[in-house]
Amino acid sequence: MPPLANGQGALSPRAIPEAAVARLAVYLRVLSGMKEQGITTVSSEELSVAAGVNSAKLRKDLSYIGTYGTRGVGYEVEVLIDQIERVLGLTREQSVAVVGIGNLGHALANYGGFPGRGFPVTALFDVDPDLMGVPVGGIPVHHIDDISSVCAAKEITIGVIATPPAAAQVVCDRLVQAGVECILNFAPVVLQVPETVEVRKVDLAVELQILSFHQARRADSAPSGETAPQPRGNGRVTGSPRHSVENRPNGAVVRR
Amino acid sequence: MPPLANGQGALSPRAIPEAAVARLAVYLRVLSGMKEQGITTVSSEELSVAAGVNSAKLRKDLSYIGTYGTRGVGYEVEVLIDQIERVLGLTREQSVAVVGIGNLGHALANYGGFPGRGFPVTALFDVDPDLMGVPVGGIPVHHIDDISSVCAAKEITIGVIATPPAAAQVVCDRLVQAGVECILNFAPVVLQVPETVEVRKVDLAVELQILSFHQARRADSAPSGETAPQPRGNGRVTGSPRHSVENRPNGAVVRR
DNA sequence: GAATGTGAAACCGTTCACAGCC
DNA sequence: GGCTGTGAACGGTTTCACATTC
């Protein structure tokens, strides 16, 4: 890195790669589970297996947030939890609004605080007059036209779009106008937003199509019988001969 | 490993990067919309803007599946749709089973064929005796113990896990045992699977925490007033001066 | 001895920029 | 002249391997 190039100004103290942030959230969940089980210390090896990554990656990820381990020993579960929570900004509660109270919106509203808490759903919006005022999961539904005032009153920081695709961009615009700068989009639409707004999307159809792609690949690389080929012995040797568990690109772990 | 390293044997004819596959699914949706509007031809520039990527990336992605464009002209919408569908394996229908008929499972069951069709939900499973036989979204609910027989009968290729976290691994094991090799996991758990099985996960909590991270970063780089800083003029110039629209890492587009 | 933290290397995906074709 | 297709440059992410610390 000769001439430094951070993209976000020179001396940004916390330049954590996006990919690492996503994994930190996973580590946090695993660590919470460990804490509940009364585990007080973990090694990078143990934690990495539980989180479905390899230990080198785990250590690199943790190194982005500071050095909280003890060489020869491992990490204190509680310390890691605190530090990850700090970095992810989970010390301040973020209020969530859900827009679009169909099947999915219902499901989201009923999550009730969301897994791991810290994300209370405090406002619901729809256009259907029949829903107005009716509480869903204990929260009354407001009309979309009131987004601005309600979001301001409830200090909403995260907006979740669970509307039909046709409405998504309009809803997004209104959320942005209401000052919401973080949006989670379930509608199958590419949203247009100003620079200041962060959008994440969850796209069912895309996920299914990716699975379909892999299924299709499988199908034509094994053009013979019916039942799964089930690699005998230990199959192709893919690299790291040290672990009994192998990492996958998207979140799972291979069990032998 | 200096000489060739494909991981999947040397002469694998279709080695499409995972990231490109995900985007192809998005292009497909955008193209379908265009076809409905009667558009017959697109340039890489037009399509890329609509899909929220830049045109070089789009062209590279399309080049993975073949060369179907005409220099100086663009692509035929219908041709691209057909080719992407072929590559994603959408020519064969994939039957989907949803396990866990809570709020989310209900929502999924009611999608009814899923956006863009090609993914009919044909089986539902739960453990709750009250739900057995009751049709949800027109599909009867079976007991989890019957996964094997029902999945075989309905030729399920994709399993969706929408159970509470504690049940997810068991359900996953049963699906795998039933021969399902593609799994979409909504439970906040790292699943352990054999090598032959492909898992994708959708993790609400992780998505929210990533948003929270960005919110936190925003908060401490602008430690002053209350209202959004709203960059005057056209804000910082971030690079590509050619487009009026700028690409974001995760699926949205910057509107100026 | 055991396990962390981290430079350096390898890898992969994105962007550039232009040759080739219509 | 316009737009595709792609080799080459780039930048980010993952992995390796080892010095460092307890």
Side-chain angles (χ1 to χ4, degrees), chain A residues 11-231:
Chain A
L11 45 119
S12 148
R14 310 183 191 97
I16 307 176
E18 184 83 9
V21 173
R23 286 189 300 265
L24 284 170
V26 174
Y27 306 154
L28 179 57
R29 176 156 57 227
V30 173
L31 287 163
S32 301
M34 288 176 166
K35 184 181 172 187
E36 266 169 40
Q37 287 179 249
I39 298 171
T40 57
T41 298
V42 265
S43 68
S44 62
E45 182 64 28
E46 292 162 338
L47 182 51
S48 71
V49 168
V53 303
N54 74 29
S55 63
K57 195 190 288 187
L58 176 105
R59 289 200 301 278
K60 195 56 13 128
D61 287 344
L62 291 182
S63 80
Y64 293 126
I65 69 171
T67 80
Y68 301 105
T70 309
R71 290 166 195 237
V73 180
Y75 304 88
E76 265 192 63
V77 170
E78 204 142 341
V79 172
L80 277 193
I81 289 176
D82 288 349
Q83 293 305 323
I84 295 175
E85 285 184 342
R86 175 183 56 80
V87 168
L88 295 183
L90 302 178
T91 43
R92 317 228 173 305
E93 263 198 358
Q94 314 263 8
S95 296
V96 175
V98 176
V99 187
I101 312 303
N103 282 306
L104 178 59
H106 255 88
L108 295 170
N110 281 306
Y111 252 113
F114 272 107
R117 94 204 76 74
F119 296 97
V121 177
T122 57
L124 303 177
F125 298 97
D126 205 301
V127 281
D128 184 347
D130 293 351
L131 286 170
M132 294 311 117
V134 178
V136 173
I139 310 144
V141 178
H142 295 272
H143 194 275
I144 289 192
D145 290 344
D146 300 329
I147 278 188
S148 267
S149 56
V150 175
C151 284
K154 307 234 173 175
E155 297 184 310
I156 299 296
T157 53
I158 296 178
V160 177
I161 298 177
T163 64
Q169 182 62 57
V170 175
V171 165
C172 176
D173 292 346
R174 297 225 192 157
L175 282 169
V176 170
Q177 209 184 319
V180 175
E181 289 181 305
C182 296
I183 290 177
L184 182 55
N185 178 31
F186 283 87
V189 164
V190 179
L191 294 177
Q192 321 269 131
V193 294
E195 259 182 358
T196 45
V197 175
E198 181 75 24
V199 175
R200 307 267 321 164
K201 68 161 197 246
V202 173
D203 192 324
L204 261 300
V206 169
E207 297 300 330
L208 290 173
Q209 288 173 8
I210 293 170
L211 288 173
S212 171
F213 168 79
H214 288 290
Q215 177 79 3
R217 270 187 77 69
R218 225 193 319 268
D220 58 38
S221 55
S224 52
E226 274 277 298
T227 349
Q230 198 68 350

Side-chain angles (χ1 to χ4, degrees), chain A residues 14 18 25 29 88 173 188 191 193 196-197 200 203 207 209 212 214 217-218 248 251 253-255, chain B residues 14 18 25 29 88 173 188 190-191 193 196-197 200 203 207 209 212 214 217-218 248 253-255:
Chain A
R14 310 183 191 97
E18 184 83 9
R29 176 156 57 227
L88 295 183
D173 292 346
L191 294 177
V193 294
T196 45
V197 175
R200 307 267 321 164
D203 192 324
E207 297 300 330
Q209 288 173 8
S212 171
H214 288 290
R217 270 187 77 69
R218 225 193 319 268
R248 310 299 283 294
V253 162
V254 168
R255 181 155 49 176
Chain B
R14 312 185 189 93
E18 184 84 8
R29 177 157 55 226
L88 296 183
D173 292 346
V190 179
L191 294 177
V193 294
T196 45
V197 175
R200 305 267 322 164
D203 193 324
E207 296 300 329
Q209 287 173 8
S212 171
H214 288 291
R217 272 189 75 67
R218 226 196 315 273
R248 311 298 285 290
V253 161
V254 168
R255 182 154 48 175

Side-chain angles (χ1 to χ4, degrees), chain B residues 170-202:
Chain B
V170 174
V171 165
C172 176
D173 292 346
R174 298 224 190 158
L175 282 169
V176 170
Q177 210 183 317
V180 175
E181 288 180 306
C182 296
I183 290 177
L184 182 56
N185 178 31
F186 284 87
V189 165
V190 179
L191 294 177
Q192 319 270 128
V193 294
E195 260 182 356
T196 45
V197 175
E198 181 76 24
V199 175
R200 305 267 322 164
K201 68 163 201 245
V202 172

